[in-house]
Amino acid sequence: MKYIKEFRDGQLAEKLALAIRQEADPDRRYHLMEFCGGHTHAIFRYGVQDLVPENVEYVHGPGCPVCVLPVRRLDDAVELALKANVILTTYGDMMRVPGTKQKSLIRAKAEGADIRMVYSTQDALRIARENPQRQVVFFAIGFETTTPPTAVAILQAKAEGLKNFSVFCNHVLTPPAIAHIVNAPAEPGERPVKIDGFLGPSHVSSVIGWAPYEPAARDFRKPVVIAGFEPLDVMQSTLMLIRQINEGRHEVENQYTRVVTREGNRKAQRLVDEVLELRRTFEWRGLGYVPDSALRIREAFSAFDAEKRFALSPKESREVKSCECPAILRGVKTPTECKLFGTVCTPDNPMGACMVSSEGACAAYWSYGRKAEVVAATAKGAAA
Ligand code: SF4
């Protein structure tokens, strides 16, 4: 398949691995944060970590849209779903994420809430048209990649005069998160996260372009390479980062040239800007409150804002005890450092978003082999 097969070529991978080994300085360590869950999965699925030298370390970042949604907002979605007359529409990955007291949307559905899994905002609009007596809420999550369809749905609902459609908007932005990760002090008792450069978001950058990362690269002196999601993309981007670090440069470079431009998709940006505006602050799982890091619905479209249409109660939201998702999203722990990984917490019985989501780091570790290491280590511990 064009644009896939050639980016999984074994011989090219060997050449890139050789170039990385030749250019990586053995006297230093390279801590490279892959921002997106898609990168984490490529690294594990294709064994990229095993192809690079030991002193090149991938640090998993917060770029999993399901994972970064804080428990409080998930609890709000559960509350919305349980309201009489509401149909909550959501992407599939959100269904099994445990909220406070492990209450997920799927559990709310078992209690009688009308929650429907959708593949796009167009499905949610269709459900609203088919159910004019019911209130249909679209649970909007995700980074800049998924904001244009949300904006289009709101514009379409307004144009059609749909009175029973609204959006619970939880869209977040990647450049402020990168700045926050570099800038935020370590949590008490935690080791500080070491980052020498970023494998930058790919699909997100197809919408916003790569220019928005320039301030963070310049101000924090951390190179960023916009990297595609195929294994050779990740390896080539790794080589580009190593070169920048060796040369003391801290620029934004674009490896994913077949999709991303400096300006991004101007039409999509205009649509988003017409309907959505910056929130002054927003909570992220793991990162806490990050200034200017999320979007909300503009006043002109407030009729479609579920937060204004429905009263939501204040909550004492809590993560599942011992789940290390927040530390994993900050890059300070790996999934195998969570004592629940592979024992209590598995994809069949997830304790946190990082194991539920197809882009979560715990799901990547489980799916592509680290499970075997943990099972062996656990067995060894039990035998000792
Ligand atoms: S393994 Fe499960 S409990 Fe542990 S951090 Fe990952 S999602 Fe949370």
Side-chain angles (χ1 to χ4, degrees), residues 43-70:
I43 289 165
F44 279 91
R45 182 172 179 191
Y46 297 101
V48 174
Q49 180 74 73
D50 300 332
L51 295 174
V52 300
E54 180 277 328
N55 60 333
V56 177
E57 185 186 331
Y58 292 109
V59 181
H60 316 312
C64 157
V66 171
C67 307
V68 295
L69 188 85

PDB file of all heavy atoms in Angstrom, residues 43-70:
ATOM      1  N   ILE A  43       6.782   2.537  18.101  1.00  0.00           N
ATOM      2  CA  ILE A  43       8.062   2.152  18.720  1.00  0.00           C
ATOM      3  C   ILE A  43       7.972   0.726  19.263  1.00  0.00           C
ATOM      4  O   ILE A  43       8.880  -0.087  19.070  1.00  0.00           O
ATOM      5  CB  ILE A  43       8.437   3.170  19.832  1.00  0.00           C
ATOM      6  CG1 ILE A  43       8.850   4.498  19.197  1.00  0.00           C
ATOM      7  CG2 ILE A  43       9.551   2.621  20.738  1.00  0.00           C
ATOM      8  CD1 ILE A  43       8.899   5.673  20.162  1.00  0.00           C
ATOM      9  N   PHE A  44       6.862   0.409  19.929  1.00  0.00           N
ATOM     10  CA  PHE A  44       6.731  -0.923  20.524  1.00  0.00           C
ATOM     11  C   PHE A  44       6.353  -1.975  19.494  1.00  0.00           C
ATOM     12  O   PHE A  44       6.884  -3.084  19.510  1.00  0.00           O
ATOM     13  CB  PHE A  44       5.725  -0.887  21.680  1.00  0.00           C
ATOM     14  CG  PHE A  44       6.368  -0.372  22.924  1.00  0.00           C
ATOM     15  CD1 PHE A  44       6.345   0.963  23.225  1.00  0.00           C
ATOM     16  CD2 PHE A  44       7.063  -1.235  23.749  1.00  0.00           C
ATOM     17  CE1 PHE A  44       6.991   1.454  24.344  1.00  0.00           C
ATOM     18  CE2 PHE A  44       7.720  -0.762  24.870  1.00  0.00           C
ATOM     19  CZ  PHE A  44       7.680   0.586  25.168  1.00  0.00           C
ATOM     20  N   ARG A  45       5.456  -1.637  18.612  1.00  0.00           N
ATOM     21  CA  ARG A  45       4.994  -2.623  17.638  1.00  0.00           C
ATOM     22  C   ARG A  45       6.134  -3.095  16.744  1.00  0.00           C
ATOM     23  O   ARG A  45       6.229  -4.266  16.402  1.00  0.00           O
ATOM     24  CB  ARG A  45       3.872  -2.006  16.808  1.00  0.00           C
ATOM     25  CG  ARG A  45       3.294  -2.963  15.812  1.00  0.00           C
ATOM     26  CD  ARG A  45       2.065  -2.380  15.139  1.00  0.00           C
ATOM     27  NE  ARG A  45       1.551  -3.315  14.166  1.00  0.00           N
ATOM     28  CZ  ARG A  45       0.620  -3.036  13.274  1.00  0.00           C
ATOM     29  NH1 ARG A  45       0.079  -1.832  13.249  1.00  0.00           N
ATOM     30  NH2 ARG A  45       0.218  -3.925  12.413  1.00  0.00           N
ATOM     31  N   TYR A  46       7.005  -2.158  16.347  1.00  0.00           N
ATOM     32  CA  TYR A  46       8.064  -2.512  15.402  1.00  0.00           C
ATOM     33  C   TYR A  46       9.430  -2.684  16.078  1.00  0.00           C
ATOM     34  O   TYR A  46      10.445  -2.835  15.399  1.00  0.00           O
ATOM     35  CB  TYR A  46       8.141  -1.462  14.290  1.00  0.00           C
ATOM     36  CG  TYR A  46       6.862  -1.409  13.488  1.00  0.00           C
ATOM     37  CD1 TYR A  46       5.918  -0.418  13.718  1.00  0.00           C
ATOM     38  CD2 TYR A  46       6.576  -2.393  12.546  1.00  0.00           C
ATOM     39  CE1 TYR A  46       4.721  -0.397  13.009  1.00  0.00           C
ATOM     40  CE2 TYR A  46       5.391  -2.369  11.831  1.00  0.00           C
ATOM     41  CZ  TYR A  46       4.464  -1.372  12.072  1.00  0.00           C
ATOM     42  OH  TYR A  46       3.283  -1.360  11.374  1.00  0.00           O
ATOM     43  N   GLY A  47       9.465  -2.625  17.392  1.00  0.00           N
ATOM     44  CA  GLY A  47      10.727  -2.856  18.108  1.00  0.00           C
ATOM     45  C   GLY A  47      11.769  -1.790  17.845  1.00  0.00           C
ATOM     46  O   GLY A  47      12.968  -2.073  17.840  1.00  0.00           O
ATOM     47  N   VAL A  48      11.334  -0.532  17.626  1.00  0.00           N
ATOM     48  CA  VAL A  48      12.290   0.533  17.296  1.00  0.00           C
ATOM     49  C   VAL A  48      13.301   0.733  18.434  1.00  0.00           C
ATOM     50  O   VAL A  48      14.499   0.939  18.178  1.00  0.00           O
ATOM     51  CB  VAL A  48      11.544   1.857  16.981  1.00  0.00           C
ATOM     52  CG1 VAL A  48      12.524   3.008  16.790  1.00  0.00           C
ATOM     53  CG2 VAL A  48      10.676   1.695  15.735  1.00  0.00           C
ATOM     54  N   GLN A  49      12.838   0.646  19.678  1.00  0.00           N
ATOM     55  CA  GLN A  49      13.753   0.842  20.809  1.00  0.00           C
ATOM     56  C   GLN A  49      14.933  -0.133  20.732  1.00  0.00           C
ATOM     57  O   GLN A  49      16.048   0.202  21.096  1.00  0.00           O
ATOM     58  CB  GLN A  49      12.990   0.670  22.129  1.00  0.00           C
ATOM     59  CG  GLN A  49      13.835   0.850  23.382  1.00  0.00           C
ATOM     60  CD  GLN A  49      14.204   2.312  23.667  1.00  0.00           C
ATOM     61  OE1 GLN A  49      13.359   3.101  24.079  1.00  0.00           O
ATOM     62  NE2 GLN A  49      15.469   2.676  23.436  1.00  0.00           N
ATOM     63  N   ASP A  50      14.671  -1.349  20.229  1.00  0.00           N
ATOM     64  CA  ASP A  50      15.740  -2.352  20.149  1.00  0.00           C
ATOM     65  C   ASP A  50      16.697  -2.084  18.986  1.00  0.00           C
ATOM     66  O   ASP A  50      17.766  -2.686  18.906  1.00  0.00           O
ATOM     67  CB  ASP A  50      15.133  -3.759  19.983  1.00  0.00           C
ATOM     68  CG  ASP A  50      14.243  -4.119  21.162  1.00  0.00           C
ATOM     69  OD1 ASP A  50      14.501  -3.593  22.263  1.00  0.00           O
ATOM     70  OD2 ASP A  50      13.290  -4.889  20.985  1.00  0.00           O
ATOM     71  N   LEU A  51      16.316  -1.207  18.070  1.00  0.00           N
ATOM     72  CA  LEU A  51      17.175  -0.909  16.916  1.00  0.00           C
ATOM     73  C   LEU A  51      18.102   0.278  17.171  1.00  0.00           C
ATOM     74  O   LEU A  51      19.030   0.515  16.407  1.00  0.00           O
ATOM     75  CB  LEU A  51      16.313  -0.605  15.680  1.00  0.00           C
ATOM     76  CG  LEU A  51      15.472  -1.777  15.150  1.00  0.00           C
ATOM     77  CD1 LEU A  51      14.555  -1.300  14.035  1.00  0.00           C
ATOM     78  CD2 LEU A  51      16.374  -2.893  14.642  1.00  0.00           C
ATOM     79  N   VAL A  52      17.807   1.042  18.217  1.00  0.00           N
ATOM     80  CA  VAL A  52      18.648   2.215  18.500  1.00  0.00           C
ATOM     81  C   VAL A  52      19.573   1.878  19.669  1.00  0.00           C
ATOM     82  O   VAL A  52      19.292   0.963  20.449  1.00  0.00           O
ATOM     83  CB  VAL A  52      17.785   3.473  18.812  1.00  0.00           C
ATOM     84  CG1 VAL A  52      16.900   3.822  17.633  1.00  0.00           C
ATOM     85  CG2 VAL A  52      16.947   3.272  20.076  1.00  0.00           C
ATOM     86  N   PRO A  53      20.703   2.594  19.806  1.00  0.00           N
ATOM     87  CA  PRO A  53      21.622   2.279  20.900  1.00  0.00           C
ATOM     88  C   PRO A  53      20.983   2.505  22.273  1.00  0.00           C
ATOM     89  O   PRO A  53      20.009   3.260  22.394  1.00  0.00           O
ATOM     90  CB  PRO A  53      22.791   3.243  20.688  1.00  0.00           C
ATOM     91  CG  PRO A  53      22.546   3.961  19.428  1.00  0.00           C
ATOM     92  CD  PRO A  53      21.163   3.700  18.966  1.00  0.00           C
ATOM     93  N   GLU A  54      21.578   1.892  23.276  1.00  0.00           N
ATOM     94  CA  GLU A  54      21.023   1.925  24.634  1.00  0.00           C
ATOM     95  C   GLU A  54      20.936   3.353  25.172  1.00  0.00           C
ATOM     96  O   GLU A  54      20.062   3.666  25.974  1.00  0.00           O
ATOM     97  CB  GLU A  54      21.915   1.015  25.500  1.00  0.00           C
ATOM     98  CG  GLU A  54      21.559   0.879  26.959  1.00  0.00           C
ATOM     99  CD  GLU A  54      22.116   2.014  27.803  1.00  0.00           C
ATOM    100  OE1 GLU A  54      23.205   2.555  27.486  1.00  0.00           O
ATOM    101  OE2 GLU A  54      21.429   2.361  28.788  1.00  0.00           O
ATOM    102  N   ASN A  55      21.826   4.248  24.718  1.00  0.00           N
ATOM    103  CA  ASN A  55      21.813   5.618  25.262  1.00  0.00           C
ATOM    104  C   ASN A  55      20.801   6.531  24.550  1.00  0.00           C
ATOM    105  O   ASN A  55      20.732   7.717  24.839  1.00  0.00           O
ATOM    106  CB  ASN A  55      23.219   6.241  25.198  1.00  0.00           C
ATOM    107  CG  ASN A  55      23.764   6.322  23.797  1.00  0.00           C
ATOM    108  OD1 ASN A  55      23.406   5.527  22.933  1.00  0.00           O
ATOM    109  ND2 ASN A  55      24.643   7.282  23.549  1.00  0.00           N
ATOM    110  N   VAL A  56      20.017   5.977  23.619  1.00  0.00           N
ATOM    111  CA  VAL A  56      18.896   6.737  23.022  1.00  0.00           C
ATOM    112  C   VAL A  56      17.613   6.210  23.653  1.00  0.00           C
ATOM    113  O   VAL A  56      17.221   5.065  23.435  1.00  0.00           O
ATOM    114  CB  VAL A  56      18.849   6.568  21.490  1.00  0.00           C
ATOM    115  CG1 VAL A  56      17.639   7.289  20.900  1.00  0.00           C
ATOM    116  CG2 VAL A  56      20.144   7.071  20.861  1.00  0.00           C
ATOM    117  N   GLU A  57      16.996   7.060  24.458  1.00  0.00           N
ATOM    118  CA  GLU A  57      15.861   6.601  25.266  1.00  0.00           C
ATOM    119  C   GLU A  57      14.591   7.337  24.841  1.00  0.00           C
ATOM    120  O   GLU A  57      14.583   8.561  24.755  1.00  0.00           O
ATOM    121  CB  GLU A  57      16.163   6.903  26.738  1.00  0.00           C
ATOM    122  CG  GLU A  57      15.140   6.382  27.705  1.00  0.00           C
ATOM    123  CD  GLU A  57      15.443   6.846  29.128  1.00  0.00           C
ATOM    124  OE1 GLU A  57      16.626   7.068  29.463  1.00  0.00           O
ATOM    125  OE2 GLU A  57      14.488   7.009  29.893  1.00  0.00           O
ATOM    126  N   TYR A  58      13.541   6.564  24.564  1.00  0.00           N
ATOM    127  CA  TYR A  58      12.258   7.197  24.254  1.00  0.00           C
ATOM    128  C   TYR A  58      11.477   7.405  25.551  1.00  0.00           C
ATOM    129  O   TYR A  58      11.324   6.479  26.347  1.00  0.00           O
ATOM    130  CB  TYR A  58      11.440   6.332  23.291  1.00  0.00           C
ATOM    131  CG  TYR A  58      12.056   6.244  21.913  1.00  0.00           C
ATOM    132  CD1 TYR A  58      12.648   5.066  21.468  1.00  0.00           C
ATOM    133  CD2 TYR A  58      12.078   7.348  21.064  1.00  0.00           C
ATOM    134  CE1 TYR A  58      13.235   4.982  20.216  1.00  0.00           C
ATOM    135  CE2 TYR A  58      12.657   7.278  19.807  1.00  0.00           C
ATOM    136  CZ  TYR A  58      13.241   6.097  19.382  1.00  0.00           C
ATOM    137  OH  TYR A  58      13.826   6.030  18.142  1.00  0.00           O
ATOM    138  N   VAL A  59      11.002   8.624  25.745  1.00  0.00           N
ATOM    139  CA  VAL A  59      10.202   8.969  26.925  1.00  0.00           C
ATOM    140  C   VAL A  59       8.772   9.167  26.431  1.00  0.00           C
ATOM    141  O   VAL A  59       8.541   9.960  25.520  1.00  0.00           O
ATOM    142  CB  VAL A  59      10.718  10.290  27.563  1.00  0.00           C
ATOM    143  CG1 VAL A  59       9.906  10.639  28.807  1.00  0.00           C
ATOM    144  CG2 VAL A  59      12.202  10.201  27.866  1.00  0.00           C
ATOM    145  N   HIS A  60       7.829   8.436  27.009  1.00  0.00           N
ATOM    146  CA  HIS A  60       6.458   8.504  26.506  1.00  0.00           C
ATOM    147  C   HIS A  60       5.782   9.793  26.967  1.00  0.00           C
ATOM    148  O   HIS A  60       5.871  10.161  28.135  1.00  0.00           O
ATOM    149  CB  HIS A  60       5.661   7.292  26.966  1.00  0.00           C
ATOM    150  CG  HIS A  60       6.432   6.020  26.817  1.00  0.00           C
ATOM    151  ND1 HIS A  60       7.109   5.706  25.647  1.00  0.00           N
ATOM    152  CD2 HIS A  60       6.678   5.007  27.673  1.00  0.00           C
ATOM    153  CE1 HIS A  60       7.732   4.558  25.802  1.00  0.00           C
ATOM    154  NE2 HIS A  60       7.496   4.112  27.019  1.00  0.00           N
ATOM    155  N   GLY A  61       5.082  10.428  26.055  1.00  0.00           N
ATOM    156  CA  GLY A  61       4.466  11.715  26.359  1.00  0.00           C
ATOM    157  C   GLY A  61       2.964  11.626  26.542  1.00  0.00           C
ATOM    158  O   GLY A  61       2.401  10.525  26.598  1.00  0.00           O
ATOM    159  N   PRO A  62       2.303  12.775  26.629  1.00  0.00           N
ATOM    160  CA  PRO A  62       0.881  12.796  26.962  1.00  0.00           C
ATOM    161  C   PRO A  62      -0.059  12.752  25.757  1.00  0.00           C
ATOM    162  O   PRO A  62      -1.252  12.993  25.905  1.00  0.00           O
ATOM    163  CB  PRO A  62       0.738  14.145  27.683  1.00  0.00           C
ATOM    164  CG  PRO A  62       1.725  15.014  26.972  1.00  0.00           C
ATOM    165  CD  PRO A  62       2.870  14.128  26.559  1.00  0.00           C
ATOM    166  N   GLY A  63       0.465  12.422  24.577  1.00  0.00           N
ATOM    167  CA  GLY A  63      -0.353  12.580  23.371  1.00  0.00           C
ATOM    168  C   GLY A  63      -1.342  11.473  23.095  1.00  0.00           C
ATOM    169  O   GLY A  63      -1.391  10.937  21.993  1.00  0.00           O
ATOM    170  N   CYS A  64      -2.113  11.127  24.108  1.00  0.00           N
ATOM    171  CA  CYS A  64      -3.204  10.169  23.913  1.00  0.00           C
ATOM    172  C   CYS A  64      -4.486  10.898  24.329  1.00  0.00           C
ATOM    173  O   CYS A  64      -4.657  11.231  25.504  1.00  0.00           O
ATOM    174  CB  CYS A  64      -2.947   8.937  24.778  1.00  0.00           C
ATOM    175  SG  CYS A  64      -4.433   8.003  25.172  1.00  0.00           S
ATOM    176  N   PRO A  65      -5.363  11.192  23.379  1.00  0.00           N
ATOM    177  CA  PRO A  65      -6.509  12.063  23.689  1.00  0.00           C
ATOM    178  C   PRO A  65      -7.419  11.521  24.783  1.00  0.00           C
ATOM    179  O   PRO A  65      -7.959  12.285  25.576  1.00  0.00           O
ATOM    180  CB  PRO A  65      -7.250  12.177  22.350  1.00  0.00           C
ATOM    181  CG  PRO A  65      -6.710  11.095  21.480  1.00  0.00           C
ATOM    182  CD  PRO A  65      -5.338  10.758  21.977  1.00  0.00           C
ATOM    183  N   VAL A  66      -7.578  10.207  24.800  1.00  0.00           N
ATOM    184  CA  VAL A  66      -8.438   9.609  25.830  1.00  0.00           C
ATOM    185  C   VAL A  66      -7.757   9.714  27.196  1.00  0.00           C
ATOM    186  O   VAL A  66      -8.385  10.029  28.208  1.00  0.00           O
ATOM    187  CB  VAL A  66      -8.723   8.131  25.481  1.00  0.00           C
ATOM    188  CG1 VAL A  66      -9.422   7.414  26.620  1.00  0.00           C
ATOM    189  CG2 VAL A  66      -9.570   8.049  24.216  1.00  0.00           C
ATOM    190  N   CYS A  67      -6.436   9.478  27.202  1.00  0.00           N
ATOM    191  CA  CYS A  67      -5.698   9.426  28.471  1.00  0.00           C
ATOM    192  C   CYS A  67      -5.653  10.778  29.173  1.00  0.00           C
ATOM    193  O   CYS A  67      -5.676  10.842  30.400  1.00  0.00           O
ATOM    194  CB  CYS A  67      -4.268   8.948  28.253  1.00  0.00           C
ATOM    195  SG  CYS A  67      -4.151   7.399  27.345  1.00  0.00           S
ATOM    196  N   VAL A  68      -5.529  11.872  28.417  1.00  0.00           N
ATOM    197  CA  VAL A  68      -5.312  13.163  29.076  1.00  0.00           C
ATOM    198  C   VAL A  68      -6.593  13.785  29.619  1.00  0.00           C
ATOM    199  O   VAL A  68      -6.549  14.761  30.359  1.00  0.00           O
ATOM    200  CB  VAL A  68      -4.615  14.192  28.144  1.00  0.00           C
ATOM    201  CG1 VAL A  68      -3.213  13.737  27.805  1.00  0.00           C
ATOM    202  CG2 VAL A  68      -5.429  14.473  26.904  1.00  0.00           C
ATOM    203  N   LEU A  69      -7.738  13.218  29.270  1.00  0.00           N
ATOM    204  CA  LEU A  69      -8.987  13.772  29.797  1.00  0.00           C
ATOM    205  C   LEU A  69      -9.039  13.504  31.304  1.00  0.00           C
ATOM    206  O   LEU A  69      -8.956  12.360  31.736  1.00  0.00           O
ATOM    207  CB  LEU A  69     -10.191  13.108  29.126  1.00  0.00           C
ATOM    208  CG  LEU A  69     -11.512  13.770  29.495  1.00  0.00           C
ATOM    209  CD1 LEU A  69     -11.786  14.972  28.602  1.00  0.00           C
ATOM    210  CD2 LEU A  69     -12.666  12.792  29.423  1.00  0.00           C
ATOM    211  N   PRO A  70      -9.171  14.552  32.116  1.00  0.00           N
ATOM    212  CA  PRO A  70      -9.149  14.319  33.566  1.00  0.00           C
ATOM    213  C   PRO A  70     -10.419  13.619  34.038  1.00  0.00           C
ATOM    214  O   PRO A  70     -11.467  13.703  33.393  1.00  0.00           O
ATOM    215  CB  PRO A  70      -9.053  15.733  34.147  1.00  0.00           C
ATOM    216  CG  PRO A  70      -9.659  16.608  33.114  1.00  0.00           C
ATOM    217  CD  PRO A  70      -9.380  15.969  31.785  1.00  0.00           C
TER     218      PRO A  70
END
